[in-house]
Amino acid sequence: MNFHILTLFPEMVMQGLSTSILGKAIERKLISIEAVNIRDYTTDKHGKVDDYTYGGGAGMLMQAQPVYDTYLAVNEAITGKRALENNGENSERSPRVIYVTPQGRNFNQEMAKEFAKEEDLIFLCGHYEGIDERVLEEIVTDYVSIGDYVLTGGELPAMVMVDSISRLIPGVLHNDESAATESFHNDLLEYPQYSRPEVWQGKRVPEILLSGDHAKVDKWRLEQSIERTKKLRPDLYEKWKLRQETEGIGKNGENGVNS
Ligand code: ADE
């Protein structure tokens, strides 16, 4: 997976994404991340990328030209690379361009899975009061938000999405199983987990986890997941229950978080 992040703050993005698990994934060439500075593509001789909005109103807007030219350069590089890999044949589809904006669809685990199937993803980060509508119409394929609140720019949301998509790429997590057993897998939250010592501040690890009976542990974990989801995320629980009823699966726990 190759991430291409179009931004006015490339250092912020690269610093945030090149340590820990993602840093290792980059070293191991499982993912690549490039942050492309939109300012590098402005034709304004003073390096300006924003201007006042027509019709008045507070704040400045990112202009169409630098954003479009940054996109063209990145898209051309991707197309060229794909053509090299495919013996000179152009691939039919341009990469998806995700505009991170509070006006978009709310990002969730299903979307992360869908995006993880792509070979290249372009993220467009806005700043100031946003971006000239005409360039958005021209290049954006997906409008995505990370929640119903407003941030100062699109960099943090793009970083959140890159992180959650990356960990779904095979090999990025040490144990691929952990991506299949964690919260939101099959609409359930993850069960509670414990490590040593057996007793901490008078609290014992649940006895069943020490029993060595894997079937019983699996059953207990599924029950805990269901209970926890019902209590903390009743909306998710309803979704899970409906799926149990309509798909008729999960009777033996095979649709649980630990399957
Ligand atoms: N830009 C500013 N706020 C945002 C949000 N909540 N999600 C995505 N992009 C944003």
Side-chain angles (χ1 to χ4, degrees), residues 2-220:
N2 307 302
F3 296 101
H4 312 265
I5 302 164
L6 319 190
T7 169
L8 290 173
F9 300 95
E11 309 80 28
M12 174 182 177
V13 172
M14 292 316 291
Q15 269 171 21
L17 293 176
S18 47
T19 48
S20 185
I21 293 178
L22 296 204
K24 294 223 174 65
I26 296 169
E27 269 172 34
R28 291 160 62 211
K29 302 207 183 319
L30 297 170
I31 60 169
S32 77
I33 302 175
E34 64 159 352
V36 186
N37 195 342
I38 294 171
R39 202 177 295 282
D40 289 347
Y41 289 86
T42 181
T43 51
D44 180 86
K45 61 176 187 286
H46 304 294
K48 204 164 69 83
V49 290
D50 59 325
D51 211 327
Y52 294 101
T53 51
Y54 280 114
M60 308 285 270
L61 204 63
M62 280 169 72
Q63 292 167 288
Q65 177 275 317
V67 172
Y68 191 54
D69 286 356
T70 312
Y71 163 77
L72 287 181
V74 169
N75 193 40
E76 200 180 300
I78 295 169
T79 319
K81 194 187 75 160
R82 285 185 183 176
L84 268 181
E85 287 164 0
N86 301 329
N87 296 326
E89 282 193 29
N90 273 334
S91 102
E92 287 135 42
R93 206 161 60 81
S94 286
R96 283 167 92 157
V97 178
I98 300 164
Y99 178 42
V100 282
T101 165
Q103 297 185 7
R105 276 192 302 153
N106 270 344
F107 186 66
N108 59 25
Q109 194 66 21
E110 263 161 57
M111 282 162 86
K113 271 191 223 160
E114 189 193 315
F115 287 138
K117 293 180 194 149
E118 301 288 326
E119 195 183 331
D120 292 274
L121 281 174
I122 300 178
F123 286 86
L124 173 58
C125 304
H127 251 271
Y128 314 117
E129 290 305 307
I131 302 181
D132 190 307
E133 192 67 24
R134 293 166 295 182
V135 68
L136 299 178
E137 285 168 9
E138 204 58 38
I139 68 175
V140 173
T141 58
D142 300 85
Y143 291 75
V144 186
S145 167
I146 60 160
D148 292 341
Y149 46 85
V150 182
L151 299 164
T152 54
E155 283 73 17
L156 285 172
M159 287 156 74
V160 165
M161 290 185 232
V162 168
D163 186 292
S164 99
I165 296 164
S166 294
R167 59 194 294 294
L168 298 176
I169 307 292
V172 169
L173 295 183
H174 288 308
N175 175 2
D176 277 341
E177 204 190 317
S178 48
T181 60
E182 70 215 355
S183 295
F184 303 115
H185 181 68
N186 288 329
D187 300 326
L188 286 177
L189 301 180
E190 196 179 38
Y191 44 79
Q193 303 209 71
Y194 305 85
S195 184
R196 282 199 276 197
E198 243 175 80
V199 183
W200 179 78
Q201 302 219 345
K203 289 167 168 265
R204 291 198 73 80
V205 169
E207 210 56 45
I208 198 152
L209 299 178
L210 311 174
S211 69
D213 184 332
H214 295 300
K216 274 194 182 152
V217 168
D218 285 353
K219 185 167 172 285
W220 180 85

Side-chain angles (χ1 to χ4, degrees), residues 233-248:
R233 289 291 305 272
D235 56 323
L236 266 188
Y237 174 73
E238 287 306 320
K239 201 169 149 200
W240 174 78
K241 217 169 68 175
L242 193 71
R243 218 151 58 82
Q244 301 293 296
E245 285 158 14
T246 54
E247 293 176 19

